[in-house]
Amino acid sequence: MIANFLSKIMQRYLPDSFLLAIILTALIVVAGVTAGGHSLFDMADYWGKGFSKLFTFGMQMVLVLLLGYILALTPAVNRFLDKLTDAAKTPRQALMLTGTVSFAACYLNWGFGLVVGAMVAKEMGRKVQGLHFPLVVAAAYSAEIIRGPSSAIPLVVATPKHFLHETLGVIPVSQTLYSSWNLLISAGILVLLLLMYAFVSPPKQPVSVTQAHQETPEKNQAAQHAGPLFFSEKLEQRYLFNLLLAVLPLLFAGKHFAEKGFDVNLNIVIMLFLAASLLLHRSPAAFLNAAKTAISSTQGIIVQFPLYAGIAGMMTDSGLVNLMAQWFVSVSDAANFPVMTFLSAGLVNIFIPSGGGQWAIQGPVVVEAAKALGADLPQTIMAFAWGDAWTNQIQPFWALPLLGVAGLSARDIMGYCVMWLVLSGLWIMGVFAVMSFIL
């Protein structure tokens, strides 16, 4: 009942994610002028300098989404999803299976998980009668909160000569990601995720996946080439050309894994998606036809990522990040500092939705405060990482790839995400509050 109430509120009053980015921009401008003491021209300058800083990252996300979607449109993946989703016979089973698969995929790599979660949710929406499609998409997105082996912040502090090495030293992942208390948080997140979505009652009039998402480009292509083919069109139908191009990303990824072990990053995910898409589509024409279908889902990333980069630039250069961090430090002590770090990271993440970038800005303040208060450093680091992930649940920035594949807007899932924000936040803070007194 609570989730449905929140969903109705979000449907009626939550602006579109593009409009929300504009509103956040305006709020930061006002805060920079009033609290930061900067002029409007200063804020415009900070915004302009930050605007282009996510161009590379934005292109990476476009390719993750585009190639993941192209992969989802291959006949082989459709057959695999058919078999996987056959296990779900009821809406509740569909929600729990989607949450589990998305959780596992996001644990390995968040970019990979967002696409996989959206693919599974779409297939569930197509096959399971009575399933509320925005609810199953929300279940897929909620799994993104998990912090796994690709989590940037604990990996950074475990790397020799990282930018905080002189004040923090090297903290191995055995003390952060793979500590007993962090594994407890992760296990609890999965249990809570499945329980919440298993027992949420969807609206009486369930929303089904749109008919447009059930079409495959292979069918359209077959209809377009019913007659004789020209020589150029015959070349476009040759699988050999897909094989020739797929060799390069496979060799690159193979060399990367041979040298660095199981190190999965965005570039490797992109390479693997490209190779798999080429190998599993029947021809260059089939690959490009799938790309035509998928490209519209990337519009949110292309338009909105630069806006959030501008917001991050204003937050950083105006000093607003430090003002927020210092306020949280002023009301903290050694016992509650991890919890306060979690909350401060969650707040700043709404305006700077990039874990690595946020750590570079806020990390030095947090580390110095933790040392001054005598707080546990590994707990502080993971509290920051969890806080950064926590408010992703209400930040459309990270939902854009998944929503692009699913064909929904942020307001469609945000009511459920708000409820998940509360439940997951209480669990994470509870564990940190208890552990701060034990360790």
Side-chain angles (χ1 to χ4, degrees):
M1 179 179 288
I2 296 175
N4 290 328
F5 171 75
L6 290 172
S7 182
K8 289 179 180 178
I9 293 296
M10 293 298 174
Q11 283 278 357
R12 292 180 181 179
Y13 301 110
L14 182 70
D16 178 80
S17 57
F18 177 67
L19 182 56
L20 182 59
I22 296 174
I23 293 171
L24 284 175
T25 300
L27 289 175
I28 298 304
V29 170
V30 172
V33 172
T34 55
H38 300 277
S39 70
L40 180 60
F41 292 102
D42 289 335
M43 298 304 292
D45 184 55
Y46 303 151
W47 182 87
K49 290 177 179 177
F51 185 80
S52 61
K53 288 186 177 180
L54 287 184
F55 280 2
T56 299
F57 179 60
M59 187 61 179
Q60 288 174 320
M61 288 305 299
V62 167
L63 288 173
V64 165
L65 175 54
L66 181 67
L67 292 171
Y69 203 152
I70 292 172
L71 179 60
L73 294 174
T74 61
V77 170
N78 274 280
R79 288 194 295 270
F80 170 75
L81 291 179
D82 270 335
K83 292 182 179 179
L84 176 66
T85 53
D86 278 344
K89 305 300 183 184
T90 67
R92 179 171 294 178
Q93 291 174 359
L95 288 164
M96 296 186 74
L97 181 57
T98 301
T100 302
V101 172
S102 185
F103 181 92
C106 286
Y107 185 80
L108 293 176
N109 181 272
W110 56 266
F112 175 67
L114 288 176
V115 175
V116 168
M119 289 159 54
V120 174
K122 278 181 59 179
E123 191 66 12
M124 290 294 188
R126 185 181 67 84
K127 295 179 67 174
V128 179
Q129 293 296 318
L131 179 62
H132 185 63
F133 186 55
L135 182 59
V136 75
V137 172
Y141 180 62
S142 294
E144 191 273 341
I145 195 175
I146 187 64
R147 299 296 89 181
S150 63
S151 182
I153 296 168
L155 292 182
V156 166
V157 300
T159 303
K161 299 181 180 180
H162 62 87
F163 74 97
L164 289 176
H165 184 270
E166 292 185 3
T167 57
L168 186 60
V170 173
I171 298 181
V173 292
S174 60
Q175 297 180 27
T176 54
L177 274 175
Y178 302 114
S179 64
S180 58
W181 46 267
N182 194 64
L183 293 176
L184 174 64
I185 292 175
S186 300
I189 286 291
L190 176 59
V191 172
L192 279 176
L193 176 73
L194 297 183
L195 286 175
M196 175 182 149
Y197 284 100
F199 291 100
V200 167
S201 298
K204 295 180 179 179
Q205 297 293 330
V207 178
S208 63
V209 65
T210 60
Q211 184 68 30
H213 286 194
Q214 299 181 39
E215 298 297 329
T216 60
E218 286 81 4
K219 293 179 181 179
N220 296 334
Q221 187 183 1
Q224 292 172 4
H225 295 290
L229 299 177
F230 295 111
F231 175 75
S232 59
E233 292 174 325
K234 289 180 180 179
L235 289 180
E236 292 167 1
Q237 302 299 321
R238 297 294 182 184
Y239 183 63
L240 174 63
F241 293 102
N242 282 22
L243 286 175
L244 289 174
L245 183 55
V247 168
L248 292 177
L250 285 175
L251 290 176
F252 178 88
K255 183 174 182 291
H256 173 85
F257 289 130
E259 293 177 350
K260 300 185 179 181
F262 190 68
D263 175 33
V264 181
N265 56 48
L266 270 180
N267 291 333
I268 293 301
V269 169
I270 290 168
M271 290 291 182
L272 294 176
F273 278 1
L274 174 60
S277 298
L278 288 166
L279 292 174
L280 294 177
H281 274 291
R282 295 175 298 182
S283 65
F287 178 90
L288 291 176
N289 205 44
K292 291 177 183 177
T293 302
I295 193 67
S296 62
S297 65
T298 65
Q299 61 183 354
I301 295 175
I302 295 170
V303 173
Q304 293 178 47
F305 269 43
L307 297 185
Y308 281 107
I311 291 172
M314 290 191 293
M315 288 286 294
T316 304
D317 293 343
S318 68
L320 290 175
V321 171
N322 286 335
L323 287 176
M324 287 183 181
Q326 289 168 6
W327 182 85
F328 275 96
V329 168
S330 69
V331 296
S332 303
D333 56 33
N336 70 10
F337 189 69
V339 172
M340 298 305 291
T341 298
F342 171 80
L343 292 171
S344 69
L347 176 61
V348 174
N349 178 64
I350 295 174
F351 305 99
I352 305 178
S354 171
Q358 186 180 341
W359 178 249
I361 298 164
Q362 199 177 350
V365 178
V366 169
V367 170
E368 289 294 342
K371 293 177 68 175
L373 293 170
D376 185 273
L377 287 174
Q379 278 193 35
T380 298
I381 291 163
M382 285 311 301
F384 191 97
W386 281 109
D388 169 71
W390 179 51
T391 47
N392 283 349
Q393 304 310 303
I394 56 170
Q395 167 54 273
F397 181 87
W398 291 118
L400 289 173
L402 180 136
L403 293 172
V405 174
L408 297 177
S409 67
R411 66 169 67 95
D412 293 319
I413 68 170
M414 204 53 64
Y416 307 112
C417 291
V418 169
M419 187 173 179
W420 174 237
L421 178 88
V422 174
L423 289 176
S424 60
L426 290 174
W427 166 249
I428 295 169
M429 286 189 290
V431 173
F432 277 120
V434 171
M435 295 307 300
S436 64
F437 289 101
I438 294 176
L439 296 181

